[in-house]
Amino acid sequence: MQTILRTRDLTKRYGDKIVVDNLSIEIREGEVFGLLGPNGAGKSTTMNMICGIVNPTLGEVEFMGKDFKKNRKELLKELGYIPQELAIHGNLKAWENVELFTSLYGIKGAQLKRAVDDSLEYVGLLDRRGDYAKTFSGGMKRRLNIACAIGHEPRLLIFDEPTVGIDPQSRNFILEKIKQSNQNGATVIYTSHYMEEVEAICTRIAIMDNGKIIATGTSEELKKMVVSDPETITLEEVFLTLTGKKLRDV
Amino acid sequence: MIRYLIKNNFKLMSRSFYNVLLLIIMPLVLIAVLSSAFESLLAKYDGDQQIKAGYSAEGDVSREIIDALVSVAEENSMSFTEYPLSDPANLIRENELSAYIVFGNDTYTVYRNSDEKEAAKAVEYMVGTFYDTAAAGALGVQEDASAVTVRQADYIEPVDSKDYYGIVEVIYFGWCAIVCGAALFMNEKKYRIRKKFIVSGLSESGMYFAKLVPIAMVAILGSIISAAASHILFKVNWGDKPLLSLVILTLSVTAASAFGLMIHNLFGENVVVTIIVVFVIVWFNGYFGGAFETYMFQEGVSLELHRLWPIYHTNRALVEISTTGQSLYTGSALIYNAALAAGCSLVAVISGMIRRKVKA
Ligand SMILES: Nc1ncnc2c1ncn2[C@@H]1O[C@H](COP(=O)(O)OP(=O)(O)O)[C@@H](O)[C@H]1O
Ligand SMILES: [Mg+2]
């Protein structure tokens, strides 16, 4: 499989604090890559550096074989970023939100109309298209947040903890949709601190702690790092063994 | 494609309509309050009573200019009498003059009777305007010409206090255009929209103009409605050049919007700080531009200080257009406001670019 995204020695320092530490990862075209790590591991910071929201202290990002910094404008069109913190206008209706954010990628007219409806339908909000986003439940807002990032049909989708704090139905729905997007051809990066989610949808997993990747592989491979028979251990136990049991209060 | 962004920003603004309403209602309230409060002041100036002034000539000052000035003064209900050079205080007291002017070669000095401040100010204003006009050649006064033609003598026609405050308050509140944007700013901040703009590759200038266009358009519309309302409710006379007045008004509001957005960008998109800073600066702008006290009678403010502020040019242009159909300040009002709009836009976009680099 071809590499679609690669980071080299990606580092972010805030003052003396190293939040992301010499991170080099490789995402292959067509996979669902899981970035698993406790709160404060540096997952969001890594994603934000990949998208250009946060400038790296050091290191670089290569996307579709091109240097991200130098080809920003062009490469961003192939990227869909679903931020951990919701970024939708509460005082705009659902369809207006999707229209606004999709139009920023240069889509207009009838094509834009179609993209808006398709995106809303995709996240199951077509019948609520005329409602203000602020009236939505947590799960619906999360889904709208996703709809706002997929209308331009990007090749790479980055989901930053899209299931935090929502009901199980919405959560299942979102996971199904991510799988579906992947089957339709999109490469997915999925960050989470929920083991079972990552195990359920990701083809490859990296465990991140304290700004570093401490292990990468399929869930089988990761389990084998800790015990010889993967049937005898859960990913959660692998995770706790590798990252330690200290409480993370961030 | 910021067309859709502009459209949605319009929607966000219209959904907090109170801000826009403020822009229409506040000037009307102030017109009502200020025009009645200052009615007596402007009444003294409106030409019913003859103002007496004296003058002397020093050196080889041109007689043509003085004669032209005296005739203009007469048309404005001011009688100018020549006296031999002497002590201004005595002269004013003995002849019951409102003001005494000494013309020099390149300068003139106005001595004012402190018991007749308004009348004295009116004389000073008239003489100042005369010299401005003469300098611009608009009067047709030429130092060496044997014949002096006065093409335009009625340029300081008295202005009714209602007209004055009607025009000036609409302009002043147009300067508060940024309140229309407050809803927009707060929404963008609250819902963390900026980072979505960045990941979609939207440039700083795109972000800027997507705000400027709706803010300026809504504020212009608000100002036009309030100008129309001032005409209907208070019979404020905006003059017989509505198109020219509209262009000046539009440019003034555009400059104000760009200025407000620049402050917003310079102060890290903090809405509260932006509103406070803009209001303070706009207050000074209004103070020196004649929004509270008429610029003709304002004590202790030099012409240079007046001219520093864009609103002064706008006010004078519009007030003079309303009374005489023309103003020497038309050009400077247009140029100053246009330059301000362009300059503020540039600073706003650049500061956004710097912030993106530094803060990320
Ligand atoms: N702007 C910032 N300034 C200082 N520290 C930050 C900043 N952003 C994130 N951090 C710190 O970086 C660490 C990693 O944060 P984050 O990337 O959000 O972790 P995760 O997404 O894995 O939970 C945290 O300890 C957080 O406090
Ligand atoms: Mg995070």
Side-chain angles (χ1 to χ4, degrees), chain B residues 323-341:
Chain B
T323 54
T324 69
Q326 57 185 308
S327 168
L328 277 178
Y329 283 79
T330 304
S332 63
L334 292 172
I335 291 167
Y336 200 161
N337 284 316
L340 207 60

Side-chain angles (χ1 to χ4, degrees), chain B residues 280-312:
Chain B
V280 167
I281 296 175
V282 168
W283 188 87
F284 279 105
N285 194 5
Y287 180 81
F288 291 111
F292 315 120
E293 248 182 292
T294 51
Y295 52 70
M296 303 87 150
F297 303 139
Q298 209 166 6
E299 288 291 330
V301 180
S302 69
L303 189 61
E304 286 70 32
L305 195 52
H306 274 310
R307 280 184 177 157
L308 212 57
W309 299 88
I311 211 173
Y312 179 72

Side-chain angles (χ1 to χ4, degrees), chain A residues 43-44 84 160-161:
Chain A
K43 304 182 296 294
S44 293
Q84 178 175 4
D160 194 357
E161 308 220 22

Side-chain angles (χ1 to χ4, degrees), chain A residues 14 17 19 38-45 84 250:
Chain A
Y14 287 113
K17 196 167 159 194
V19 173
N39 284 332
K43 304 182 296 294
S44 293
T45 307
Q84 178 175 4
V250 181

Side-chain angles (χ1 to χ4, degrees), chain A residues 12 51-55 72-73 76 81 83 85-92 95-96 99-101 103-105 108-109 112 132 148-149, chain B residues 1-9 11-12 15 184 187-188 190-193 195-203 356-360:
Chain A
K12 185 67 190 180
C51 300
I53 296 172
V54 168
N55 289 332
R72 214 182 118 73
K73 191 117 197 174
L76 281 174
Y81 169 63
E85 290 179 315
L86 294 170
I88 46 176
H89 266 301
N91 287 313
L92 287 182
W95 75 270
E96 292 167 340
E99 182 199 65
L100 168 60
F101 294 118
S103 73
L104 296 178
Y105 293 92
K108 57 188 175 208
L112 180 60
Y132 284 102
C148 289
Chain B
M1 208 17 73
I2 63 168
R3 190 171 91 213
Y4 295 94
L5 180 54
I6 290 173
K7 186 181 86 180
N8 280 296
N9 281 347
K11 287 183 183 169
L12 284 168
R15 279 166 199 174
L184 198 56
N187 274 295
E188 277 191 4
K190 181 174 176 194
Y191 298 113
R192 296 174 287 264
I193 303 302
K195 81 175 145 198
K196 292 282 290 187
F197 287 159
I198 294 174
V199 291
S200 60
L202 183 63
S203 64
R356 193 188 276 204
K357 279 234 164 66
V358 173
K359 236 191 131 187

Side-chain angles (χ1 to χ4, degrees), chain A residues 110-121:
Chain A
Q111 199 193 350
L112 180 60
K113 268 208 178 89
R114 211 172 324 112
V116 169
D117 282 352
D118 289 351
S119 303
L120 283 170
E121 184 171 18

Side-chain angles (χ1 to χ4, degrees), chain A residues 6-11 22-25 58-62:
Chain A
R6 177 184 281 134
T7 72
R8 284 199 200 89
D9 305 325
L10 207 57
T11 302
N22 270 297
L23 198 81
S24 298
I25 48 174
L58 275 176
E60 55 207 48
V61 177
E62 192 188 287

Side-chain angles (χ1 to χ4, degrees), chain A residues 211-223:
Chain A
K212 289 194 180 87
I213 301 283
I214 52 177
T216 314
T218 61
S219 115
E220 292 278 297
E221 287 165 354
L222 290 174
K223 286 174 183 170

